[in-house]
Amino acid sequence: MKVTISVKAAHLKNVAGNFKGTSDPFAVITILPLDPSSLPQVLGKTEVIKNSLNPDWTKSFTINYTLGKPTNVLIKIYDEVHKGDNKSMGSCVFELGTVLGSKGSIQSKAIPNSRGIIYCKIEEEKDYGNLKLKLAGAKLKNLDGLFNKSDPFYEIKKRDYGKGANWNVVYRSSYIKNDLNPNWDTMNLSLNSICDGNLDQLIKLTVYDHEGSGKHELMGEIETSVNGLVAAKSHGNGFALKKNGDTTGTILVSVADIINTQDAVEEEIPVAAMSNVKLGPSAPQISDAITKSGPTFVDYIKGGCEINLSVAIDFTGSNGDPRDPSTLHYIHRDGTFNDYEKAIQKVGKILEKYDSDKKYPVFGFGAKYDGVVRHCFQCGPSEEVNGVDGIINAYRQTFASGLIMSGPTVFTEVIQTAAARAASAQEAAKAQGKQTYSVLLILTDGAVSDVQETARCIDQIDENPLSIVIVGIGNADFSSMQFLDDNSGDIDIAQFVKFNDCKYSESALTEATLDEIPNQLVKYFLRHGINPNPPVVVEEEEIAVAPAEEEIAVNIDFGADGIPVYGGSSSC
């Protein structure tokens, strides 16, 4: 999926130096490689915001993101220096899955040494088309005294980081010097960025008088929508610019066209032809010119849908004596993970980002207790454990529970148990106006004893909000297990991955095991007529600021054209 990264900062430390005013910050966005032998990828830099220690940049960056592939983004802030090297103002690293799973898909971190806070927001990139927009002002109220005229520019804002007064800037025009009748340039603006594809969503248009100090003066503002802009152009209406209840000028709309292709829809209306424009605080609405695509995984996550994880572990005798260092269940005394633990840790660390309470049931199968083979039993002392470390502890504690590793390898009971839990969790969530989806991770060292029966079992429970991921541990012949992936019914909810094919890659296992889950989640909810909940709205003050971490030593070079490139390692 394609996602966009947007950035803002607050309470930055001024590094401009004595008697040089306030810093002019911009941010450079860099993707850090998982492989130490690979180089970072510089996505680019934001615009510079003059004289500000609380910059809200409008430029965003689009990348491909895969659930299961850890993606670390370095956001490094600089003070622009025209003569000399740009000065570092600090940096933070964000993992995109963690940002996406955070409330409102926003995360903030403290810059080391009390140098401020960086906010990172993730949104899914959707092609709703563009708004071709050209605005002009007429008879704006001058704020620069008798002998000068204001230098107006405008910003478009939407409620993004919060609600109420927390408007986030999504576009900022250039300013026009000494002009109370400004005619700004025509722009093509992404409907995804300015209104999330909702043409009736409220947006704010604010006009400022540009000041070199960065303390721009408010000239007035209006609230409307994309439909309101289009209708204003269509009906020849203008907007009365307001400040403290007083009219401070007029905003004219000479172009406002919804563009689904490269071609413009209508001709531009010359500003001179709009001298008798009608004023109105709002304009008649027109029908949406865009048909939204269907809901996506990100839509459900942004609406608060949580992903619950259950783990089922194979304790059959074919794993070997766990006291033997050559066997699969051997617990290493030096803290090294065996392959079962590696699989738990890698998959669990991805999915826990989408579960607020991080409580997981851990099951075992294939062992005898009191002479009876049990195909689904609790691992550890409690029904649910805390976090991924809790899963690993429950797994280790099972070897001291008096079990005898036995057989055969049967999945059906743990599948049925997980399906029942998944259905119950979703019903409980639904009663509270929430949503939840579950993933069962089965770890096994061999092929299931009855593949056909297991396939029938999966077919019987495939209407539940559940995905099943089976990871084969060790060197057994797992060829028959692919049958479960390929032939488990009309609805595909099961996936098999061989651990040894992925064990030497940092992200190959999680990519292979989790890549189908977003699609499976969306298909489940759509089959049952369940749309995503509205995006969770979070006030800026509600965003917990993660503590400062050690900064990553990545040096960025700036060419004569100001374009940032990776310049090797250095101290930050």
Side-chain angles (χ1 to χ4, degrees), residues 503-518:
K503 68 185 296 182
Y504 298 111
S505 169
E506 180 69 23
S507 63
L509 176 67
T510 50
E511 284 188 72
T513 55
L514 303 180
D515 70 336
E516 294 184 11
I517 289 175

Side-chain angles (χ1 to χ4, degrees), residues 318-333:
S318 57
N319 284 278
D321 187 338
R323 294 167 294 187
D324 183 346
S326 66
T327 59
L328 296 172
H329 278 311
Y330 180 73
I331 306 299
H332 298 274
R333 295 182 180 180

Side-chain angles (χ1 to χ4, degrees), residues 24-44:
D24 305 326
F26 65 92
V28 176
I29 315 300
T30 303
I31 304 298
L32 299 178
L34 294 176
D35 182 355
S37 64
S38 299
L39 297 178
Q41 175 192 357
V42 179
L43 294 183

Side-chain angles (χ1 to χ4, degrees), residues 440-451:
L440 171 62
L441 173 63
I442 300 176
L443 306 173
T444 181
D445 82 312
V448 68
S449 299
D450 191 335
V451 175

Side-chain angles (χ1 to χ4, degrees), residues 131 133 155-159 167 170 189 193-196 198-206 222-229:
L131 171 67
L133 181 67
E155 293 179 344
I156 296 176
K157 305 175 183 179
K158 70 175 180 180
R159 287 191 177 106
W167 291 85
V170 292
L189 307 176
S193 65
I194 66 173
C195 66
D196 303 316
N198 179 359
L199 304 189
D200 291 317
Q201 179 174 307
L202 195 65
I203 59 176
K204 181 180 287 188
L205 193 150
T206 308
I222 62 172
E223 291 185 4
T224 183
S225 65
V226 171
N227 266 336
L229 293 169

